[in-house]
Amino acid sequence: MTDFFKYQALGNDYVVIDPRYTSLPVTPESVRLVCDRHFGIGADGVLHGPLEEPRPGVPVPLALFNSDGSVCERSGNGLRMFALHLAEREPQAWAGGKPFTLRTTAGDSPVRILDAAAGIVQVGLGRPAFDAAALPLLDEDCTPAEGPTLSVPLTVGEHKLTVTALHNGNPHTVVPVSEPTPELARSLGPLIAGHARFPSRTNVTFLRVVSRELLEIEVYERGAGYALASGSSACAAASAARELGLCADRVEVSMPGGSVGVALDPDGSVTLTGESQQVATGVFAPPLRARLDRTQEAGR
């Protein structure tokens, strides 16, 4: 019996709850407990799936949750980890290098296992939208904004910032800075993530352009807090930098947990490539399982 599978991608960790192996009800309450680093397993989020019996040639549905129990529409790292999970459970069906499709609330994402042993997985995140209505983004008077979201002025307390916002399955705000640091991400990140101009909240990426082929970022995620790495944030940074004319079509994005490769097509479509690995499998001990069962009762 296996209740959970844990994966990490450059220090960004997720717990996979696969309904083929466990009957755990996945709710906001149970997600928060599973992700709790003191009372649960500890993770940045939960990947719940496959939600239907997976078949080659048919999109495989899954649900993604942030550690605070909120829905995550799409995660670049999470999709790569889940693709690796499928490949490790059924290598003949999923690990052969042929592309297959994962389906989330943000839509379909093509994935390909490039090297199963090394955990190298490629995922397509489509073309981001630099549009105020897509995020959504409000004007300074908190009325709906319209038009492009490149180099937008944003006041955060005493800080006068110029940011670029986009939606690539999740809302992102990219903040160019001279030196991205964990301290900056932890202090300014939550203020931007919860800013009144972002009614759906936003992920925040602090960006330094090292060269046209290398970007350095620090990340604060709206549903998980400070993160050592984020695939969709790396893609957001690359997309924003390319739209601003600051980087090439292929870049390395460096984060505290490591680096990923991001390729940008002429139409703006993004492909993310990086490594991930399984770090644990296990069963919920009776006391934790009892607490998880109580979260289901409390949520009724």
Side-chain angles (χ1 to χ4, degrees), residues 134-185:
L135 282 149
L137 171 68
L138 305 181
D139 282 325
E140 291 184 351
D141 61 0
C142 289
T143 59
E146 297 180 353
T149 52
L150 294 172
S151 300
V152 175
L154 181 71
T155 300
V156 183
E158 299 179 353
H159 301 275
K160 305 293 184 180
L161 307 174
T162 300
V163 307
T164 291
L166 64 140
H167 198 285
N168 64 2
N170 292 312
H172 289 268
T173 299
V174 179
V175 187
V177 295
S178 59
E179 184 180 3
T181 64
E183 294 75 21
L184 180 64

Side-chain angles (χ1 to χ4, degrees), residues 18-37:
D18 189 328
R20 297 175 297 178
Y21 295 87
T22 182
S23 59
L24 174 71
V26 176
T27 65
E29 294 79 15
S30 65
V31 166
R32 286 193 290 270
L33 179 53
V34 165
C35 293
D36 192 296
R37 297 191 184 276

Side-chain angles (χ1 to χ4, degrees), residues 225-249:
Y226 178 76
L228 294 175
S230 167
S232 63
S233 297
C235 292
S239 295
R242 213 272 289 271
E243 286 293 314
L244 296 169
L246 301 177
C247 75
D249 293 342

Side-chain angles (χ1 to χ4, degrees), residues 61-171:
L62 71 150
L64 297 84
F65 297 88
N66 298 309
S67 60
D68 66 358
S70 61
V71 171
C72 176
E73 293 93 337
R74 180 164 60 188
S75 162
N77 282 346
L79 291 178
R80 293 191 298 106
M81 288 183 247
F82 190 77
L84 189 62
H85 171 71
L86 290 178
E88 290 180 339
R89 306 281 77 71
E90 299 175 282
Q92 292 184 339
W94 308 105
K98 294 182 179 180
F100 56 96
T101 301
L102 298 180
R103 175 167 290 171
T104 70
T105 57
D108 290 354
S109 298
V111 295
R112 183 193 299 265
I113 309 294
L114 300 183
D115 185 334
I120 306 298
V121 180
Q122 186 178 83
V123 58
L125 296 185
R127 183 173 62 186
F130 293 87
D131 179 74
L135 282 149
L137 171 68
L138 305 181
D139 282 325
E140 291 184 351
D141 61 0
C142 289
T143 59
E146 297 180 353
T149 52
L150 294 172
S151 300
V152 175
L154 181 71
T155 300
V156 183
E158 299 179 353
H159 301 275
K160 305 293 184 180
L161 307 174
T162 300
V163 307
T164 291
L166 64 140
H167 198 285
N168 64 2
N170 292 312

Side-chain angles (χ1 to χ4, degrees), residues 253-276:
V253 182
S254 175
M255 299 165 281
S259 297
V260 294
V262 180
L264 303 153
D265 289 345
D267 71 349
S269 296
V270 179
T271 302
L272 169 70
T273 304
E275 66 181 62
S276 60

